[in-house]
Coordinates of all heavy atoms in Angstrom, one line a residue:
M392 N -11.8 51.1 -18.5 CA -11.2 52.3 -17.9 C -9.7 52.3 -18.2 O -9.0 53.3 -18.2 CB -11.3 52.3 -16.4 CG -11.4 53.7 -15.8 SD -11.4 53.6 -14.0 CE -11.9 55.3 -13.7
A393 N -9.1 51.1 -18.6 CA -7.7 51.0 -18.8 C -7.3 51.4 -20.2 O -6.2 51.8 -20.4 CB -7.3 49.5 -18.6
A394 N -8.3 51.5 -21.1 CA -7.9 51.9 -22.5 C -7.4 53.3 -22.4 O -8.0 54.2 -21.8 CB -9.1 51.7 -23.4
G395 N -6.4 53.6 -23.2 CA -5.9 54.9 -23.3 C -4.8 55.3 -22.3 O -4.1 56.3 -22.5
V396 N -4.7 54.6 -21.3 CA -3.8 54.9 -20.3 C -2.4 54.8 -20.7 O -1.5 55.7 -20.5 CB -3.9 54.0 -19.0 CG1 -2.8 54.1 -18.0 CG2 -5.3 54.3 -18.3
T397 N -2.0 53.8 -21.5 CA -0.7 53.7 -22.0 C -0.3 54.8 -22.9 O 0.8 55.4 -22.9 CB -0.5 52.4 -22.8 OG1 -1.7 51.6 -22.7 CG2 0.7 51.6 -22.3
D398 N -1.2 55.2 -23.8 CA -1.0 56.4 -24.7 C -0.6 57.6 -23.9 O 0.3 58.3 -24.2 CB -2.2 56.7 -25.5 CG -2.4 55.7 -26.6 OD1 -1.5 54.9 -26.8 OD2 -3.4 55.8 -27.3
R399 N -1.4 57.8 -22.8 CA -1.2 59.0 -22.0 C 0.2 58.9 -21.4 O 0.9 59.9 -21.3 CB -2.3 59.0 -21.0 CG -2.9 60.4 -20.8 CD -3.5 60.5 -19.5 NE -4.9 60.9 -19.6 CZ -5.8 60.8 -18.6 NH1 -5.4 60.1 -17.5 NH2 -7.0 61.2 -18.6
L400 N 0.6 57.8 -20.9 CA 1.8 57.7 -20.2 C 3.0 58.0 -21.1 O 4.0 58.6 -20.8 CB 2.0 56.3 -19.6 CG 1.3 56.0 -18.2 CD1 1.5 54.6 -17.8 CD2 1.9 56.9 -17.2
E401 N 2.9 57.5 -22.4 CA 3.9 57.7 -23.3 C 4.1 59.2 -23.6 O 5.2 59.7 -23.6 CB 3.7 56.9 -24.6 CG 4.4 55.6 -24.5 CD 3.8 54.6 -25.6 OE1 3.3 55.1 -26.6 OE2 4.0 53.4 -25.4
A402 N 3.0 59.8 -23.8 CA 3.1 61.2 -24.1 C 3.6 62.0 -22.9 O 4.4 62.9 -23.1 CB 1.6 61.8 -24.4
Y403 N 3.3 61.6 -21.7 CA 3.7 62.3 -20.6 C 5.3 62.1 -20.4 O 5.9 63.0 -20.1 CB 3.0 61.8 -19.3 CG 3.3 62.5 -18.1 CD1 2.7 63.8 -18.0 CD2 4.1 62.0 -17.1 CE1 3.0 64.5 -16.9 CE2 4.3 62.8 -16.0 CZ 3.8 64.0 -15.9 OH 4.1 64.8 -14.8
S404 N 5.7 60.9 -20.6 CA 7.1 60.7 -20.2 C 8.0 61.4 -21.3 O 9.1 61.9 -20.9 CB 7.5 59.2 -20.3 OG 7.3 58.7 -21.6
S405 N 7.6 61.5 -22.5 CA 8.4 62.3 -23.4 C 8.4 63.8 -23.1 O 9.4 64.5 -23.3 CB 7.9 62.1 -24.9 OG 6.7 62.8 -25.1
E406 N 7.3 64.2 -22.6 CA 7.2 65.6 -22.2 C 8.1 65.9 -21.0 O 8.8 66.9 -20.8 CB 5.8 66.0 -21.9 CG 5.5 67.5 -22.3 CD 4.1 67.7 -22.5 OE1 3.5 68.0 -21.5 OE2 3.5 67.6 -23.6
E407 N 8.1 64.9 -20.1 CA 8.8 65.0 -18.9 C 10.3 65.1 -19.2 O 11.1 65.8 -18.5 CB 8.5 63.8 -18.0 CG 8.7 64.2 -16.5 CD 8.3 63.0 -15.6 OE1 8.7 61.9 -15.9 OE2 7.7 63.3 -14.6
R408 N 10.7 64.3 -20.1 CA 12.1 64.3 -20.6 C 12.6 65.7 -21.0 O 13.6 66.2 -20.7 CB 12.3 63.3 -21.7 CG 13.5 62.4 -21.4 CD 13.6 61.3 -22.4 NE 12.6 60.2 -22.1 CZ 12.3 59.4 -23.1 NH1 12.7 59.4 -24.3 NH2 11.4 58.4 -22.7
K409 N 11.7 66.3 -21.8 CA 12.0 67.7 -22.3 C 12.1 68.6 -21.1 O 13.0 69.4 -21.0 CB 10.8 68.1 -23.2 CG 11.3 68.5 -24.5 CD 10.1 69.1 -25.3 CE 9.4 68.1 -26.2 NZ 8.1 68.6 -26.7
E410 N 11.2 68.5 -20.1 CA 11.2 69.4 -19.0 C 12.4 69.2 -18.2 O 13.0 70.2 -17.7 CB 9.9 69.1 -18.1 CG 8.7 69.7 -18.7 CD 7.5 69.3 -17.9 OE1 7.6 68.5 -16.9 OE2 6.4 69.7 -18.2
R411 N 12.9 68.0 -18.0 CA 14.1 67.8 -17.2 C 15.3 68.5 -17.8 O 16.1 69.0 -17.2 CB 14.3 66.3 -17.1 CG 14.9 65.9 -15.8 CD 15.1 64.4 -15.7 NE 13.9 63.7 -15.5 CZ 13.7 62.4 -15.5 NH1 14.8 61.6 -15.8 NH2 12.6 61.8 -15.3
R412 N 15.3 68.5 -19.1 CA 16.4 69.1 -19.8 C 16.4 70.7 -19.6 O 17.4 71.3 -19.3 CB 16.4 68.9 -21.3 CG 17.7 68.7 -21.9 CD 17.5 68.2 -23.3 NE 17.7 66.8 -23.5 CZ 17.6 66.1 -24.7 NH1 17.3 66.8 -25.8 NH2 17.7 64.8 -24.8
N413 N 15.2 71.2 -19.6 CA 15.2 72.7 -19.6 C 15.0 73.2 -18.1 O 14.9 74.3 -17.9 CB 14.0 73.2 -20.4 CG 14.2 72.8 -21.9 OD1 15.3 72.6 -22.3 ND2 13.2 72.7 -22.6
M414 N 14.8 72.3 -17.2 CA 14.5 72.7 -15.8 C 13.3 73.7 -15.8 O 13.5 74.9 -16.0 CB 15.7 73.3 -15.1 CG 15.5 73.1 -13.6 SD 16.7 73.9 -12.6 CE 15.8 74.1 -11.2
T415 N 12.2 73.1 -15.5 CA 11.0 73.9 -15.8 C 10.9 75.1 -14.8 O 10.9 75.0 -13.6 CB 9.8 73.0 -15.6 OG1 10.0 71.8 -16.3 CG2 8.6 73.7 -16.1
R416 N 10.8 76.3 -15.4 CA 10.5 77.5 -14.7 C 9.3 78.2 -15.3 O 9.3 78.2 -16.6 CB 11.7 78.4 -14.6 CG 12.7 77.9 -13.6 CD 14.0 78.7 -13.8 NE 15.0 77.9 -13.2 CZ 16.2 78.5 -13.0 NH1 16.5 79.7 -13.2 NH2 17.1 77.7 -12.4
E417 N 8.6 78.9 -14.6 CA 7.6 79.7 -15.1 C 7.4 81.0 -14.4 O 7.6 81.0 -13.2 CB 6.2 78.9 -15.0 CG 5.7 78.3 -16.3 CD 4.4 77.7 -16.2 OE1 3.4 78.3 -15.8 OE2 4.4 76.4 -16.4
I418 N 7.2 82.0 -15.2 CA 6.8 83.3 -14.6 C 5.3 83.5 -14.7 O 4.8 83.4 -15.7 CB 7.6 84.4 -15.3 CG1 9.0 84.2 -15.2 CG2 7.1 85.7 -14.7 CD1 9.6 84.3 -13.7
K419 N 4.7 83.7 -13.6 CA 3.3 83.9 -13.6 C 2.9 85.2 -12.9 O 3.3 85.5 -11.8 CB 2.7 82.7 -12.9 CG 1.2 82.5 -13.4 CD 0.9 81.0 -13.2 CE 0.1 80.5 -14.4 NZ -0.3 79.2 -14.3
K420 N 2.1 86.0 -13.6 CA 1.6 87.2 -13.0 C 0.2 87.0 -12.5 O -0.6 86.6 -13.3 CB 1.7 88.3 -14.0 CG 1.4 89.7 -13.3 CD 1.6 90.8 -14.3 CE 1.3 92.1 -13.5 NZ 1.4 93.3 -14.4
C421 N 0.0 87.3 -11.2 CA -1.3 87.2 -10.7 C -2.1 88.4 -11.0 O -1.5 89.5 -11.3 CB -1.1 87.0 -9.2 SG -2.8 86.8 -8.3
E422 N -3.4 88.3 -10.9 CA -4.3 89.4 -11.2 C -4.1 90.5 -10.1 O -4.4 91.7 -10.4 CB -5.7 88.9 -11.2 CG -6.1 88.3 -12.5 CD -7.5 87.7 -12.4 OE1 -8.4 88.4 -12.1 OE2 -7.6 86.5 -12.6
C423 N -3.6 90.2 -9.0 CA -3.4 91.2 -7.9 C -2.1 92.0 -8.2 O -1.9 93.0 -7.5 CB -3.3 90.6 -6.5 SG -1.8 89.6 -6.3
G424 N -1.3 91.6 -9.2 CA -0.1 92.4 -9.5 C 1.2 91.8 -9.1 O 2.3 92.2 -9.5
L425 N 1.2 90.8 -8.2 CA 2.3 90.1 -7.8 C 2.9 89.2 -9.0 O 2.1 88.6 -9.7 CB 2.1 89.2 -6.6 CG 2.0 89.8 -5.2 CD1 1.8 88.8 -4.2 CD2 3.3 90.6 -5.0
V426 N 4.2 89.2 -9.1 CA 4.8 88.3 -10.2 C 5.6 87.3 -9.5 O 6.3 87.5 -8.6 CB 5.7 89.1 -11.1 CG1 6.3 88.2 -12.2 CG2 5.0 90.2 -11.8
W427 N 5.3 86.0 -9.8 CA 5.8 84.8 -9.2 C 6.7 84.1 -10.1 O 6.4 83.9 -11.3 CB 4.7 83.9 -8.7 CG 3.9 84.5 -7.6 CD1 2.8 85.3 -7.8 CD2 4.0 84.3 -6.2 NE1 2.3 85.6 -6.5 CE2 3.0 85.0 -5.5 CE3 4.9 83.5 -5.4 CZ2 2.8 85.0 -4.2 CZ3 4.7 83.5 -4.0 CH2 3.7 84.3 -3.4
K428 N 7.8 83.6 -9.5 CA 8.7 82.6 -10.3 C 8.3 81.3 -9.7 O 8.5 81.0 -8.5 CB 10.1 83.0 -10.1 CG 11.0 82.0 -10.8 CD 12.5 82.4 -10.7 CE 13.0 81.9 -9.4 NZ 14.4 82.3 -9.2
L429 N 7.9 80.4 -10.6 CA 7.5 79.0 -10.2 C 8.6 78.1 -10.7 O 9.0 78.2 -11.9 CB 6.1 78.7 -10.8 CG 5.0 79.6 -10.5 CD1 3.8 79.2 -11.3 CD2 4.7 79.6 -9.0
V430 N 9.1 77.3 -9.8 CA 10.1 76.3 -10.2 C 9.7 74.9 -9.8 O 9.2 74.7 -8.7 CB 11.4 76.6 -9.4 CG1 12.5 75.6 -9.8 CG2 11.9 78.1 -9.7
K431 N 9.8 74.1 -10.8 CA 9.3 72.7 -10.6 C 10.4 71.9 -9.9 O 11.6 72.0 -10.3 CB 9.1 72.1 -12.0 CG 8.3 70.8 -11.9 CD 8.1 70.3 -13.3 CE 7.3 69.0 -13.4 NZ 7.2 68.6 -14.8
V432 N 10.0 71.2 -8.9 CA 11.0 70.5 -8.1 C 10.6 69.0 -8.0 O 9.4 68.7 -7.9 CB 11.0 71.0 -6.7 CG1 12.1 70.3 -5.8 CG2 11.3 72.5 -6.7
K433 N 11.6 68.1 -8.2 CA 11.2 66.7 -8.1 C 11.1 66.3 -6.6 O 11.9 66.7 -5.8 CB 12.4 65.9 -8.7 CG 12.2 65.8 -10.2 CD 12.5 64.3 -10.6 CE 11.6 64.0 -11.8 NZ 11.5 62.5 -12.0
T434 N 10.2 65.5 -6.3 CA 10.1 65.0 -5.0 C 10.1 63.4 -5.0 O 9.7 62.9 -6.0 CB 8.8 65.4 -4.3 OG1 7.7 65.1 -5.1 CG2 8.8 66.9 -4.1
P435 N 10.5 62.8 -3.9 CA 10.4 61.4 -3.9 C 9.0 60.9 -4.2 O 8.0 61.5 -3.7 CB 10.9 61.0 -2.5 CG 11.7 62.2 -2.1 CD 11.1 63.4 -2.7
Y436 N 8.9 59.8 -5.0 CA 7.6 59.3 -5.3 C 6.8 58.9 -4.1 O 7.2 58.4 -3.2 CB 7.8 58.0 -6.2 CG 6.5 57.5 -6.6 CD1 5.8 58.1 -7.6 CD2 6.0 56.3 -6.1 CE1 4.6 57.6 -8.1 CE2 4.8 55.7 -6.5 CZ 4.1 56.4 -7.5 OH 2.9 55.9 -8.0
G437 N 5.6 59.4 -4.1 CA 4.6 59.0 -3.1 C 4.4 60.1 -2.1 O 3.4 60.1 -1.3
I438 N 5.3 61.1 -2.1 CA 5.1 62.1 -1.0 C 3.9 63.0 -1.3 O 3.1 63.3 -0.5 CB 6.4 63.0 -0.9 CG1 7.4 62.1 -0.1 CG2 6.1 64.3 -0.2 CD1 8.6 62.9 0.4
R439 N 3.8 63.4 -2.6 CA 2.7 64.2 -2.9 C 2.0 63.6 -4.2 O 2.6 63.1 -5.1 CB 3.2 65.6 -3.3 CG 3.6 66.4 -2.1 CD 3.7 67.8 -2.5 NE 4.2 68.5 -1.4 CZ 3.8 69.8 -1.1 NH1 2.9 70.4 -1.9 NH2 4.2 70.4 -0.1
D440 N 0.7 63.7 -4.1 CA -0.1 63.2 -5.2 C -0.6 64.3 -6.0 O -0.5 64.4 -7.2 CB -1.3 62.4 -4.6 CG -1.6 61.2 -5.6 OD1 -0.7 60.9 -6.4 OD2 -2.6 60.6 -5.4
S441 N -1.2 65.3 -5.4 CA -1.6 66.4 -6.1 C -1.7 67.6 -5.1 O -1.8 67.4 -3.9 CB -3.0 66.2 -6.6 OG -3.9 66.1 -5.6
D442 N -1.4 68.8 -5.7 CA -1.4 69.9 -4.8 C -1.5 71.2 -5.7 O -1.7 71.2 -6.9 CB -0.1 70.0 -4.1 CG -0.3 70.6 -2.7 OD1 -1.2 71.3 -2.5 OD2 0.6 70.2 -1.9
S443 N -1.5 72.3 -5.0 CA -1.6 73.6 -5.8 C -0.9 74.6 -4.9 O -0.7 74.5 -3.7 CB -3.0 73.9 -6.0 OG -3.7 74.1 -4.8
L444 N -0.6 75.7 -5.6 CA -0.1 76.9 -4.9 C -1.0 78.1 -5.0 O -1.5 78.3 -6.1 CB 1.3 77.2 -5.5 CG 2.5 76.4 -5.1 CD1 3.7 76.9 -5.8 CD2 2.8 76.5 -3.6
Q445 N -1.0 78.8 -4.0 CA -1.9 80.0 -4.0 C -1.0 81.3 -3.8 O 0.0 81.2 -3.1 CB -2.9 80.0 -2.9 CG -4.2 79.3 -3.2 CD -4.0 77.8 -2.9 OE1 -3.4 77.5 -2.0 NE2 -4.6 77.0 -3.8
C446 N -1.4 82.3 -4.5 CA -0.8 83.6 -4.2 C -1.2 84.1 -2.8 O -2.1 83.6 -2.2 CB -1.4 84.6 -5.3 SG -0.8 86.3 -5.2
S447 N -0.5 85.1 -2.4 CA -0.8 85.6 -1.0 C -2.2 86.2 -1.0 O -2.8 86.4 0.1 CB 0.2 86.6 -0.5 OG 0.5 87.5 -1.5
C448 N -2.7 86.6 -2.2 CA -4.1 87.1 -2.3 C -5.2 86.0 -2.2 O -6.3 86.2 -2.2 CB -4.3 88.0 -3.5 SG -4.4 87.1 -5.0
G449 N -4.7 84.8 -2.4 CA -5.6 83.6 -2.3 C -6.0 83.0 -3.7 O -6.6 82.0 -3.7
R450 N -5.6 83.7 -4.8 CA -5.9 83.1 -6.1 C -4.9 82.0 -6.3 O -3.7 82.0 -5.9 CB -5.6 84.1 -7.2 CG -6.7 85.2 -7.2 CD -6.5 86.1 -8.4 NE -7.5 87.1 -8.4 CZ -7.5 88.4 -7.9 NH1 -6.4 88.7 -7.2 NH2 -8.4 89.2 -8.0
E451 N -5.4 81.0 -7.0 CA -4.5 79.8 -7.4 C -3.5 80.2 -8.5 O -3.9 80.7 -9.5 CB -5.4 78.7 -7.8 CG -4.6 77.4 -7.9 CD -5.5 76.2 -8.3 OE1 -6.0 75.6 -7.4 OE2 -5.7 76.0 -9.5
L452 N -2.3 79.9 -8.2 CA -1.2 80.2 -9.2 C -1.1 79.0 -10.1 O -0.9 79.2 -11.3 CB 0.1 80.5 -8.5 CG 0.2 81.7 -7.7 CD1 1.5 81.6 -6.8 CD2 0.2 83.0 -8.5
I453 N -1.0 77.8 -9.6 CA -0.7 76.6 -10.4 C -1.3 75.5 -9.6 O -1.3 75.5 -8.4 CB 0.7 76.5 -10.6 CG1 1.0 75.4 -11.7 CG2 1.6 76.3 -9.4 CD1 2.4 75.4 -12.2
S454 N -1.7 74.5 -10.3 CA -2.1 73.2 -9.6 C -1.5 72.1 -10.5 O -1.2 72.2 -11.7 CB -3.6 73.1 -9.5 OG -4.2 73.0 -10.8
W455 N -1.2 71.0 -9.9 CA -0.5 69.9 -10.5 C -0.9 68.6 -9.8 O -1.4 68.6 -8.7 CB 1.0 70.1 -10.5 CG 1.6 70.0 -9.1 CD1 1.9 68.9 -8.5 CD2 1.7 71.1 -8.2 NE1 2.4 69.2 -7.2 CE2 2.2 70.5 -7.0 CE3 1.4 72.4 -8.2 CZ2 2.5 71.2 -5.9 CZ3 1.7 73.2 -7.1 CH2 2.2 72.6 -5.9
N456 N -0.5 67.5 -10.4 CA -0.5 66.2 -9.7 C 0.6 65.4 -10.3 O 1.0 65.5 -11.5 CB -1.8 65.6 -9.8 CG -2.3 65.4 -11.2 OD1 -1.8 64.6 -11.9 ND2 -3.3 66.1 -11.5
G457 N 1.3 64.6 -9.5 CA 2.3 63.8 -10.0 C 3.5 63.8 -9.1 O 3.4 64.2 -7.9
R458 N 4.6 63.3 -9.6 CA 5.8 63.1 -8.8 C 6.7 64.4 -8.6 O 7.9 64.4 -8.6 CB 6.7 62.0 -9.4 CG 6.2 60.6 -9.2 CD 6.9 59.7 -10.1 NE 6.3 59.7 -11.4 CZ 7.0 59.4 -12.5 NH1 8.3 59.0 -12.4 NH2 6.4 59.5 -13.7
H459 N 6.1 65.5 -8.6 CA 6.9 66.7 -8.4 C 6.0 67.7 -7.7 O 4.8 67.6 -7.4 CB 7.3 67.2 -9.8 CG 6.1 67.5 -10.6 ND1 5.6 66.6 -11.5 CD2 5.3 68.6 -10.7 CE1 4.5 67.1 -12.1 NE2 4.3 68.4 -11.7
T460 N 6.7 68.7 -7.3 CA 6.0 69.9 -6.7 C 6.5 71.1 -7.2 O 7.5 71.2 -8.0 CB 6.2 69.8 -5.1 OG1 5.3 70.8 -4.5 CG2 7.6 70.0 -4.7
W461 N 5.9 72.2 -6.9 CA 6.4 73.5 -7.4 C 6.7 74.4 -6.2 O 6.0 74.3 -5.2 CB 5.3 74.2 -8.2 CG 5.1 73.5 -9.5 CD1 4.4 72.4 -9.8 CD2 5.6 74.0 -10.8 NE1 4.4 72.1 -11.2 CE2 5.1 73.1 -11.8 CE3 6.3 75.1 -11.3 CZ2 5.4 73.2 -13.2 CZ3 6.6 75.3 -12.6 CH2 6.1 74.4 -13.5
T462 N 7.7 75.2 -6.3 CA 7.9 76.3 -5.4 C 7.7 77.6 -6.0 O 7.9 77.8 -7.2 CB 9.4 76.3 -4.8 OG1 10.3 76.5 -5.9 CG2 9.6 74.9 -4.2
A463 N 7.2 78.6 -5.2 CA 6.9 79.9 -5.7 C 7.6 80.9 -5.0 O 7.8 80.8 -3.7 CB 5.4 80.1 -5.7
E464 N 8.1 81.9 -5.7 CA 8.8 83.0 -5.0 C 8.5 84.3 -5.7 O 8.3 84.3 -6.9 CB 10.3 82.6 -5.4 CG 11.4 83.5 -4.7 CD 12.7 83.1 -5.3 OE1 13.0 81.9 -5.4 OE2 13.5 84.0 -5.6
V465 N 8.2 85.3 -4.9 CA 7.8 86.6 -5.5 C 9.0 87.3 -6.1 O 10.1 87.3 -5.5 CB 7.2 87.5 -4.4 CG1 6.9 88.9 -5.0 CG2 6.0 86.9 -3.8
V466 N 8.9 87.6 -7.4 CA 10.0 88.3 -8.1 C 9.7 89.8 -8.3 O 10.6 90.6 -8.5 CB 10.4 87.7 -9.4 CG1 11.0 86.3 -9.2 CG2 9.2 87.5 -10.3
N467 N 8.4 90.1 -8.3 CA 8.1 91.6 -8.5 C 6.7 91.9 -7.9 O 5.8 91.1 -8.1 CB 8.0 91.8 -10.1 CG 8.0 93.2 -10.4 OD1 7.5 94.1 -9.6 ND2 8.5 93.6 -11.5
K468 N 6.7 92.9 -7.1 CA 5.5 93.2 -6.4 C 4.5 94.0 -7.3 O 3.4 94.3 -7.0 CB 5.8 94.0 -5.2 CG 6.6 93.2 -4.2 CD 6.3 93.5 -2.8 CE 6.9 92.3 -1.9 NZ 7.2 92.9 -0.6
G469 N 5.0 94.4 -8.5 CA 4.1 95.1 -9.4 C 3.7 96.5 -9.0 O 4.3 97.1 -8.1
E470 N 2.7 97.0 -9.5 CA 2.2 98.3 -9.2 C 1.3 98.1 -7.9 O 0.6 97.1 -7.8 CB 1.4 98.9 -10.3 CG 2.2 99.1 -11.6 CD 1.6 98.3 -12.7 OE1 0.4 98.4 -12.9 OE2 2.4 97.6 -13.4
K471 N 1.2 99.2 -7.2 CA 0.4 99.1 -6.0 C -1.0 99.5 -6.4 O -1.5 100.6 -6.2 CB 0.9 100.2 -5.0 CG 2.3 99.9 -4.6 CD 2.7 101.0 -3.6 CE 4.3 100.9 -3.4 NZ 4.7 102.1 -2.7
N472 N -1.7 98.6 -7.0 CA -3.0 98.8 -7.4 C -4.0 98.6 -6.3 O -4.9 99.4 -6.1 CB -3.4 97.7 -8.5 CG -3.1 98.3 -9.9 OD1 -2.7 99.5 -10.0 ND2 -3.0 97.5 -10.9
S473 N -3.8 97.5 -5.5 CA -4.8 97.1 -4.6 C -4.3 97.6 -3.2 O -3.2 97.1 -2.7 CB -5.0 95.6 -4.5 OG -3.8 95.0 -4.5
R474 N -5.0 98.4 -2.6 CA -4.6 98.8 -1.3 C -5.8 99.0 -0.4 O -6.8 99.5 -0.9 CB -4.0 100.2 -1.4 CG -2.5 100.1 -1.1 CD -2.1 101.1 -0.1 NE -0.8 100.5 0.5 CZ -0.1 101.1 1.3 NH1 -0.4 102.3 1.6 NH2 1.0 100.6 1.8
Ligands
LIG44 ZN1 -2.4 87.5 -6.2

């Protein structure tokens, strides 16, 4: 089970370095029309292991695991499709 773990860690840490430089943000449009701004936030190690965020309609916006969390904020309510 231990094989490959080191490879994965190396790949992850180099990617994490990149992310830290650019401060990870993502714009995600839900199928319900809401547009969310997702911002990656560092949390103290051990507080969260894995988690996810849901849109107010209940669809999953993002899921992750690791030493960070994401915050979501509505940036655009889009068209009033669903009523
Ligand atoms: Zn939604």
Side-chain angles (χ1 to χ4, degrees):
M392 211 186 195
V396 168
T397 356
D398 283 357
R399 225 205 231 161
L400 278 178
E401 265 164 24
Y403 188 72
S404 67
S405 74
E406 213 161 88
E407 205 176 45
R408 227 171 282 162
K409 235 187 265 168
E410 284 175 356
R411 213 177 284 172
R412 216 174 261 177
N413 300 337
M414 201 185 156
T415 313
R416 280 171 203 194
E417 254 184 59
I418 298 295
K419 207 152 221 180
K420 186 173 182 183
C421 182
E422 283 173 53
C423 72
L425 280 180
V426 182
W427 293 84
K428 182 176 78 178
L429 305 170
V430 181
K431 192 178 182 181
V432 182
K433 276 225 149 198
T434 55
Y436 182 71
I438 283 193
R439 284 195 185 216
D440 213 14
S441 67
D442 215 334
S443 62
L444 280 175
Q445 274 87 35
C446 180
S447 48
C448 72
R450 288 184 178 92
E451 188 176 273
L452 293 167
I453 189 169
S454 65
W455 68 87
N456 55 70
R458 281 167 279 158
H459 58 269
T460 186
W461 290 77
T462 61
E464 187 186 318
V465 179
V466 291
N467 195 328
K468 299 215 166 152
E470 300 120 48
K471 300 178 195 164
N472 272 346
S473 50
R474 247 231 158 171

